[in-house]
Amino acid sequence: MADLSARRHQMFPVLNPRQVETAKRFANGEPRRFAPGEFLYRVGDHAAPAWLVLDGSMDVFRHEGLSHEAPITTHGVGQLSGEVNQLSGRPTLAGARAGADGCTAVAFDPAHLRALVIGSADVGEIVMRAFILRRVGLIDAGAGSVLIGTAGNAALSRLQGFLSRSAFPYIVLDSASEGEGRALIERLGILATELPLMVCPNGTVLKNPTDAEAAACLGMTPELVPGKVYDVAVVGAGPAGLATAVYAASEGLDVIVIDERSVGGQAGASSRIENYLGFPTGISGQALAGRAYNQALKFGAELVLPIEVQSLASSKGDAGALTLDLAGGKSVTARSVVIASGARYRRPAVANIETYEGNGISYWASPIEAKLCAGEEVALVGGGNSAGQAIVFLAPQVKKLHLVVRRALEDTMSQYLIDRIKALPNVELHMHCEVYAVGGDQATGLASATLRNRLDGIETQLALHHLFLFIGADPNAGWVSDRVLTDDKGFIVTGQSFDRLCPFTRKPLPLETSLPNVFAIGDVRAGSTKRVAAAVGEGAAVVSQIHAALSAMTAAR
């Protein structure tokens, strides 16, 4: 929980008269008068504008649980309503009504709000800080969606993880306890197999929703405009893809970002990144991704989550566009494509291991998983930096952590993490070992893991309910591997030569694939440095190459 009490002046700033006049120049439409108690917008409204109060006051509220309202603040003259969702037009997580004496206010729809944030450095900084802090406040308060289910349930944990990584607030009600959650289940006649329930801010009730269904209800998957041609389509919203979105959109390119999960990629699941330049005390992957996400929204990039890209159609001649075919029969057309789809978590060759994924076996260690295994014995497999960060995060919260590695930590992990792990009293190292078998019950989850020493074959069975796997990843390029050149491990090759059937006569750019105007950056690219900073650097560098490619395309017409 963030302590925001000392930052209320930043959460709810008051613009001075000069700043108000500056802001009004970016408003859409004339000021409007609202009668006392009249709604300016309701919780769950799509494309609700932000309103700048010019006279009177505005009461802002959120939903609390299933049937209650809780006040957030009262805006007076010179204060602007809204939070991060107002930048993109997604359903609002709060509502607003005119105060006791009514309210006169001027509106800023998403386009005009972004114009204000970008066009006025002074007011823009104040507004962006306020919006981000308000979102943090909503997350801490549990405003937004209501999840109803049983603690530890795999589907509930999945939903919690998805909403947390997407920075969408929620609250969990235990379906087994007396209260409004259980009362709703009984009133609607919900079966155990239909849990968890998700009650969206607009009141829609979803039964055991997929991530995609939850995202659609929250407005995270916007309607794509038929026939629209973007300048840049970015596949993947990890550090590399988000960097591309920020730099390209800030330079005036029309950008869309598509990811099959949520923002942050693998880095987003990291509990703490301590070797990223400019953050000497470290930053969580989720916080880093959240900041980049807000920057992308600020500059007008469209983000579509979670939807899978299934294939890429090559360009038709020098002036042709590229088409990305998406799940659900949708498609996106763009003049250039940046493949930043990263890597997929590697699954060990252990019988029935997929049975317990999300029900005892995890490929990341977030606060949700840490809470579920608090005070218990756990095992973690892996010797890279991501594994080290997870160990340092988990060990203080569990009874004992069994670290399973195939070779010396010094071969694969940064020294500062090795030193920290050695100082943890409850970490037991299993050297030259690997997971040989897992056991348990599909209903109750993982119950044991059997380790095998690779040198002497001795087996050790551990009784535990939580196993964390950090054993690397494979390139997430299967959807495009038949269209671009890859190396023998499946990573995408860049900067070598175009496909021999390609009509282009120019040489490929350093980050360009064997298909013209298609670029690859980050972990999915052959020869890339698997570090967050390197991915961000490539995301920035590729934008100048996109400009060069688009200029060449224009000249060829």
Side-chain angles (χ1 to χ4, degrees):
M1 298 284 286
D3 183 7
L4 300 174
S5 57
R7 304 190 68 178
R8 286 191 63 83
H9 65 290
Q10 294 178 321
M11 288 180 70
F12 307 111
V14 181
L15 302 182
N16 62 40
R18 178 186 59 80
Q19 292 169 331
V20 169
E21 290 305 311
T22 297
K24 286 167 62 178
R25 294 202 298 268
F26 294 89
N28 58 304
E30 297 298 316
R32 178 179 168 186
R33 182 68 185 176
F34 294 88
E38 183 180 356
F39 282 100
L40 285 82
Y41 52 87
R42 300 173 187 269
V43 176
D45 280 357
H46 283 259
W51 291 88
L52 176 63
V53 179
L54 303 178
D55 182 63
S57 63
M58 178 199 316
D59 296 324
V60 182
F61 61 92
R62 61 177 175 82
H63 285 169
E64 186 171 64
L66 292 172
S67 56
H68 303 288
E69 255 185 29
I72 295 177
T73 190
T74 296
H75 288 312
V77 175
Q79 291 189 291
L80 184 73
S81 71
E83 55 93 41
V84 170
N85 273 9
Q86 259 73 14
L87 288 167
S88 61
R90 289 172 176 165
T92 180
L93 301 174
R97 58 170 69 92
D101 297 322
C103 174
T104 299
V106 64
F108 297 80
D109 65 15
H112 288 79
L113 183 60
R114 292 194 299 270
L116 168 62
V117 169
I118 296 171
S120 172
D122 177 22
V123 179
E125 179 183 353
I126 294 171
V127 171
M128 279 302 299
R129 182 187 295 114
F131 280 11
I132 291 168
L133 288 174
R134 291 173 192 176
R135 172 57 69 92
V136 173
L138 290 170
I139 292 173
D140 285 353
S145 300
V146 179
L147 305 181
I148 305 172
T150 305
N153 173 268
L156 177 61
S157 296
R158 171 184 52 76
L159 272 177
Q160 288 180 269
F162 172 69
L163 294 176
S164 294
R165 290 192 297 276
S166 302
F168 267 74
Y170 66 90
I171 188 172
V172 177
L173 301 180
D174 189 349
S175 60
S177 301
E178 293 289 344
E180 56 181 348
R182 183 171 174 180
L184 177 66
I185 290 172
E186 293 174 351
R187 185 166 69 250
L188 298 180
I190 302 298
L191 303 176
T193 55
E194 296 175 316
L195 295 177
L197 293 185
M198 177 175 173
V199 184
C200 301
N202 64 2
T204 302
V205 179
L206 304 178
K207 300 175 182 178
N208 191 15
T210 63
D211 290 351
E213 290 168 339
C217 194
L218 294 171
M220 294 169 62
T221 310
E223 289 295 324
L224 299 173
V225 180
K228 180 174 182 177
V229 180
Y230 294 88
D231 293 320
V232 188
V234 183
V235 183
L242 289 172
T244 301
V246 169
Y247 285 100
S250 69
E251 294 181 13
L253 295 176
D254 199 354
V255 182
I256 186 169
V257 183
I258 309 159
D259 196 288
E260 62 180 328
R261 291 187 176 85
S262 56
V263 296
Q266 286 188 308
S270 177
S271 57
R272 184 166 296 273
I273 302 169
E274 293 192 66
N275 57 357
Y276 188 72
L277 186 67
F279 293 90
T281 59
I283 184 171
S284 73
Q286 185 176 327
L288 185 65
R291 295 183 185 196
Y293 171 77
N294 290 329
Q295 280 181 294
L297 290 182
K298 168 184 173 179
F299 290 116
E302 273 188 63
L303 286 97
V304 181
L305 308 164
I307 189 165
E308 181 184 4
V309 177
Q310 296 181 328
S311 63
L312 167 69
S314 58
S315 59
K316 300 175 182 178
D318 288 19
L322 298 147
T323 299
L324 292 170
D325 294 317
L326 312 181
K330 300 179 180 180
S331 64
V332 165
T333 302
R335 299 167 68 204
S336 65
V337 170
V338 177
I339 302 170
S341 46
R344 293 183 182 275
Y345 296 107
R346 189 172 296 154
R347 175 188 289 166
V350 177
N352 300 321
I353 195 166
E354 67 278 1
T355 302
Y356 306 106
E357 291 176 349
N359 199 13
I361 292 180
S362 301
Y363 294 87
W364 54 82
S366 75
I368 295 170
E369 286 75 32
K371 184 177 180 180
L372 291 174
C373 64
E376 299 185 21
E377 286 198 19
V378 305
L380 187 145
V381 185
N385 277 357
S386 295
Q389 291 158 355
I391 294 162
V392 172
F393 171 65
L394 285 172
Q397 305 179 64
V398 301
K399 180 181 179 182
K400 187 174 185 178
L401 189 149
H402 298 271
L403 174 56
V404 184
V405 294
R406 303 178 69 175
R407 51 182 170 156
L409 290 178
E410 286 75 10
D411 293 344
T412 55
M413 189 180 292
S414 294
Q415 190 61 44
Y416 80 94
L417 287 170
I418 295 173
D419 293 340
R420 288 188 182 177
I421 292 169
K422 289 180 178 178
L424 294 169
N426 62 335
V427 174
E428 181 179 340
L429 182 62
H430 298 266
M431 184 71 74
H432 305 298
C433 290
E434 59 189 5
V435 176
Y436 174 67
V438 292
D441 180 84
Q442 192 167 4
T444 58
L446 183 73
S448 67
T450 301
L451 311 182
R452 171 183 281 179
N453 190 295
R454 301 174 68 231
L455 300 181
D456 56 24
I458 295 176
E459 295 182 4
T460 304
Q461 187 176 66
L462 304 175
L464 46 81
H465 300 288
H466 301 278
L467 175 64
F468 296 88
L469 300 175
F470 287 80
I471 57 174
D474 297 314
N476 186 13
W479 60 276
V480 74
S481 59
D482 63 333
R483 305 298 306 149
V484 298
L485 179 65
T486 61
D487 66 12
D488 56 356
K489 294 181 179 179
F491 292 94
I492 298 175
V493 174
T494 58
Q496 289 195 7
S497 61
F498 288 141
D499 186 283
R500 61 184 180 83
L501 299 178
C502 173
F504 280 56
T505 57
R506 66 174 176 85
K507 292 182 179 180
L509 296 158
L511 295 173
E512 201 167 14
T513 70
S514 57
L515 277 181
N517 304 330
V518 178
F519 302 82
I521 58 173
D523 287 0
V524 77
R525 188 178 70 83
S528 65
T529 301
K530 308 301 190 263
R531 290 287 187 272
V532 174
V536 171
E538 290 188 7
V542 77
V543 176
S544 63
Q545 297 179 34
I546 291 170
H547 281 299
L550 295 182
S551 295
M553 180 188 295
T554 301
R557 289 177 177 174

